[in-house]
Structure formats: structure tokens, C-alpha cells
Amino acid sequence: MNSLRFLRGVNTLMKTVKLCRQRSLVQVCTNLSTGPQQQHGILYEFRTYSIKPSEMNNFMKLTKEHIDIRTAHSELTGYWTVELGGVNQVFHIWKYDDYTHRATVRAALGQDKEWQEKYMTKMLPLLDKQENEITYLVPWCQLMKPEKEGVYEIITFQMKPGGPAAWGKAFRAAINTHVNAGYTTLVGVFHSEFGLLNRVHVLWWHENADTRAAGRHKAHDDPRIVAAVRESVAYLVSQRNMLLIPTPFSPLK
């Protein structure tokens, strides 16, 4: 009888251990798939337009004349022409409170006769291609507006699957090390939500292209930055960058 009770007790204990392991595995998988989350619904839509080479000047003139019609509907964060890393392209960022807000704005634009007649019908023939992406600011970064005019660099990092819980700590450390070194000015860090996933976009401000180059040279020789980058690069698949020139009507100069 005592042996039977002992075996039953062992069996119950094994079942309990197995259940705890399963629950722990679920918790770990959940953490890996989500990571730190935004506490608000604000989203940023990235738009990249490729313009027909012969129409770039016409596109910019048309946009400058009528962008106020568009900004009456929602907030423009920044609007740039691509100087390096792309040719005959513009890049712009639009801010929305949430997806409902974006849908409402898009519907209103479709019904705005002035926008459609003065801009859209004339602009679309000038385009070669359009791309968009929905992003969020990462939880540990807020959008910063530089105090004076300059040039911008957006660096896009394609990270390995796993989300911020897998690579977020190392990536944040690398960015903070760059910021603390003072070689450049951070504007914002964005994580993709729609478009290619596991992408992080880092937007930097530089006084000009030459100060950017000088800062890069210093960073390459800085052991603090080298060490931090070495940690984050283990999670990196690829990266690319673009040098951006703000337009006269861009809020971010």
C-alpha cells in the first residue's frame, strides 16, 4: 500500500513539473515574440516616392505649391529629397494618432476635390513607384527636433527574426553609445509594423555631409562604439542608408 501511494505521489509530481515547464516555455515564447511595447497608438507612415527622372523638378514645384492642402488633414513630420543612397526619390513621414485616424484621413483626402484636382491628378503621372511602411517609435526613444537646419541620414537595419526581446537590448546599447559619444544627433528610432518586418530605422541629424563623414571616422576609432556595435551586429542581417535633404516645407529642417 505504501509503495502504491509513493508511486502515485511521484506520478503527480512529474505531471506538475511537466505542466510548469510548459507554462514557462509559453511565457518565454510570448516574451520573445513581443518584447517591449508602445503604450500609445501613435504611428508613423514612411512614404518613399520614385519620380520619373525628367519630372523631378515638376514634382517638387507641384508639391511645394499644394502641400498645405495635404497638411490640413494630418501632421507632416518631415519631407526630404534623397541625395545619396537613391536617385530621383522623395521620402516623407506622416504622423497619425492610430489606424482609425489614418483611415479617416485617407477617406477625407479621397473626397477633397481641391486636393484631387490641384495635386493628385497632376502628380500621379510624374511618379514611377510608391512605397509605404507603418512604423512606431521604439518605447525608449522620443522624436527630437533639431535646433538648426542640416542634413539627415536614415539608416535601415534588417534584424534577425525574434523581435526587440531578442536584439533590443544590444541594439539600444549601440545607439546610446553613438549618442553619448556626441558624433551625431539622434532624431528618432522606428520599428516596422507593416512592410518588411524586423526592421529598425534610425534617423540622424548632421550639420552637413562633411561633419557626418568626420563623425563616422571618429566613431570607427572609438573603442566604446566598436564594442557596442560588435554586440548588436550578431543580430544583423543587412543595412542600408540614405542621405536626406529637407525640403523648404519640411517641419524637420
Side-chain angles (χ1 to χ4, degrees):
M1 181 66 69
N2 290 336
S3 298
L4 182 59
R5 288 177 179 175
F6 175 76
L7 290 175
R8 287 176 177 174
V10 170
N11 187 45
T12 301
L13 177 62
M14 293 301 292
K15 288 181 179 180
T16 301
V17 171
K18 183 177 180 181
L19 180 60
C20 289
R21 286 177 176 175
Q22 289 175 339
R23 288 176 176 174
S24 296
L25 181 60
V26 170
Q27 183 64 41
V28 169
C29 291
T30 301
N31 288 340
L32 283 176
S33 65
T34 58
Q37 298 295 301
Q38 288 287 5
Q39 299 302 311
H40 53 74
I42 294 175
L43 57 92
Y44 295 85
E45 181 176 6
F46 287 13
R47 284 183 165 251
T48 304
Y49 293 173
S50 297
I51 317 301
K52 293 177 180 178
S54 61
E55 301 291 357
M56 188 65 180
N57 289 337
N58 291 331
F59 175 88
M60 294 308 302
K61 182 176 183 294
L62 181 69
T63 302
K64 181 179 179 180
E65 290 175 352
H66 301 299
I67 192 67
D68 60 309
I69 305 174
R70 174 62 183 85
T71 54
H73 288 271
S74 65
E75 182 180 343
L76 174 64
T77 298
Y79 204 115
W80 301 266
T81 57
V82 178
E83 181 69 14
L84 297 172
V87 179
N88 298 308
Q89 291 183 318
V90 295
F91 173 73
H92 34 127
I93 302 176
W94 297 88
K95 180 182 178 181
Y96 298 98
D97 296 335
D98 49 33
Y99 290 102
T100 299
H101 180 213
R102 181 185 181 277
T104 301
V105 169
R106 300 302 298 173
L109 286 169
Q111 298 299 316
D112 189 327
K113 291 184 178 181
E114 184 181 22
W115 175 247
Q116 295 297 324
E117 294 174 1
K118 290 185 177 181
Y119 187 73
M120 290 300 293
T121 56
K122 298 177 181 179
M123 183 274 289
L124 289 176
L126 310 180
L127 288 184
D128 185 41
K129 184 173 64 173
Q130 291 176 292
E131 298 177 61
N132 76 334
E133 184 176 346
I134 296 297
T135 70
Y136 292 101
L137 277 171
V138 297
W140 45 270
C141 177
Q142 295 190 8
L143 194 66
M144 193 280 296
K145 188 173 183 178
E147 297 179 355
K148 59 181 181 179
E149 296 184 13
V151 300
Y152 291 73
E153 179 184 12
I154 187 164
I155 306 179
T156 298
F157 299 87
Q158 184 65 50
M159 309 301 289
K160 293 180 180 179
W167 42 257
K169 182 178 179 181
F171 189 87
R172 179 179 181 178
I175 296 300
N176 287 340
T177 302
H178 276 84
V179 172
N180 294 335
Y183 302 136
T184 184
T185 300
L186 180 65
V187 178
V189 181
F190 305 82
H191 185 210
S192 65
E193 181 72 12
F194 282 95
L196 284 177
L197 299 179
N198 296 300
R199 291 177 101 185
V200 184
H201 305 276
V202 183
L203 187 61
W204 301 96
W205 176 91
H206 307 278
E207 188 172 348
N208 54 56
D210 288 320
T211 58
R212 182 260 177 198
R216 288 283 289 175
H217 288 308
K218 292 178 181 178
H220 289 161
D221 294 330
D222 191 322
R224 298 168 299 173
I225 293 178
V226 172
V229 169
R230 185 179 292 120
E231 291 293 324
S232 66
V233 76
Y235 303 98
L236 183 65
V237 176
S238 64
Q239 64 187 93
R240 63 161 297 176
N241 66 344
M242 296 189 297
L243 186 68
L244 308 172
I245 306 300
T247 62
F249 50 85
S250 175
L252 285 177
K253 300 295 188 183

